[in-house]
Amino acid sequence: MNKHHVALLLTLLAGSSPALAQSPDVIYKNSCASCHGRYGEKNALGKARPLKDLTQQEIAEGLRARKAGEIVGAGNKAKARLSDEDIAVLSEYVVTLKK
């Protein structure tokens, strides 16, 4: 297998692996930024408050509620893959986002 095949295989495996294997910035970029904005500045789908206006605790609680299906929306599929550890580190990361 040449280097390109190995790189492609690793990319495919990383994309199909659980979120736990990824750092919070990668999780955010791949699963959150498209709706919430690069810096958490957007009202996701015109409904959710901007993440930049929330506390770390509010973000973690929101992620847990989405994962549990208590809040239904477009991002639930991505949030269902998050572990408790992912939620903790992701909520810590999101409050550090700055323009």
Side-chain angles (χ1 to χ4, degrees), residues 16-76:
S16 64
S17 64
L20 180 61
Q22 298 175 348
S23 62
D25 59 321
V26 171
I27 295 170
Y28 185 84
K29 180 181 176 189
N30 292 336
S31 300
C32 311
S34 61
C35 293
H36 292 285
R38 185 173 179 188
Y39 303 104
E41 76 281 7
K42 292 183 181 179
N43 291 26
L45 303 174
K47 296 179 182 181
R49 288 175 31 207
L51 298 177
K52 69 177 187 65
D53 297 340
L54 303 176
T55 66
Q56 180 178 338
Q57 182 178 347
E58 289 172 319
I59 293 166
E61 288 170 359
L63 289 169
R64 281 189 215 99
R66 297 276 231 139
K67 180 179 178 175
E70 297 166 8
I71 300 172
V72 178
N76 281 34

